[in-house]
Amino acid sequence: MIKIVPFKAEHFERLQIRESMAASHQALLTKVAGEHFPPDCAFTLFDDYEVLGIVGYFPLTTWRVEAWSLISENITREAVFSGGRMVRRGIQSIYDAGYHRIEAIVDPNDNEAIRMVEFLEFVKEGRLRQFMHDKRDMLLYSKVKNGQ
């Protein structure tokens, strides 16, 4: 049975992250592993006892956040559907908390991540040149409250 719960550090340790994400999200992995999140800033998607994904956001200013996700290599179609519902609820909770802009930084080689942010109606704003420590480019997507 799929369930969504508030994130705890031990969830991260149980996540079998997709290999493509592990390479491109090393800085995020390091930050998430040591981060203590305020309530409602990160959630875990479980199927029985297996962690299928962790999503959350980091506040950047009083009006904008950076969204992030870590997805298991074992995620199922049913879990993707549940995860989509989870993310939509998360987006609404971000708006309810007073933020009006959500940003997502995506690896241009991660087609699954690009499909997900576009499915969630994020808009591609452009390429962040040499954005990563290893000088890789990334893509910037955003979603704003009321689609304005």
Side-chain angles (χ1 to χ4, degrees):
M1 182 168 120
I2 306 249
K3 63 181 177 178
I4 299 162
V5 300
F7 172 75
K8 294 181 181 175
E10 58 264 22
H11 300 165
F12 177 74
E13 296 164 3
R14 293 170 50 191
L15 177 66
Q16 294 178 5
I17 191 166
R18 282 186 6 223
E19 190 173 320
S20 63
M21 288 190 106
S24 64
H25 288 68
Q26 193 57 48
L28 175 60
L29 291 168
T30 302
K31 187 170 184 178
V32 171
E35 192 75 28
H36 297 284
F37 293 96
D40 301 328
C41 285
F43 300 90
T44 304
L45 179 67
F46 275 99
D47 185 2
D48 293 321
Y49 296 101
E50 183 176 6
V51 175
L52 297 177
I54 303 170
V55 299
Y57 66 91
F58 298 114
L60 299 173
T61 67
T62 57
W63 67 89
R64 75 186 235 268
V65 301
E66 180 182 343
W68 56 269
S69 66
L70 299 169
I71 307 300
S72 169
E73 61 186 22
N74 301 323
I75 196 159
T76 63
R77 194 178 228 16
E78 177 188 6
V80 168
F81 179 73
S82 295
R85 285 195 326 252
M86 172 178 68
V87 170
R88 283 194 175 87
R89 283 198 327 238
I91 288 170
Q92 188 56 52
S93 72
I94 290 169
Y95 293 149
D96 292 346
Y99 298 101
H100 66 261
R101 178 181 168 86
I102 304 169
E103 298 175 0
I105 297 171
V106 180
D107 186 325
N109 299 313
D110 190 343
N111 293 326
E112 291 178 51
I114 291 169
R115 276 195 298 275
M116 177 57 87
V117 295
E118 290 177 351
F119 174 77
L120 293 168
E121 300 177 340
F122 278 67
V123 174
K124 182 179 175 184
E125 293 191 344
R127 181 174 291 268
L128 300 168
R129 297 178 58 229
Q130 297 186 16
F131 186 77
M132 301 302 287
H133 69 281
D134 59 3
K135 298 185 180 180
R136 283 181 298 121
D137 292 356
M138 297 297 272
L139 301 175
L140 175 63
Y141 283 82
S142 71
K143 185 170 182 70
V144 295
K145 189 173 184 178
N146 300 326
Q148 300 171 344

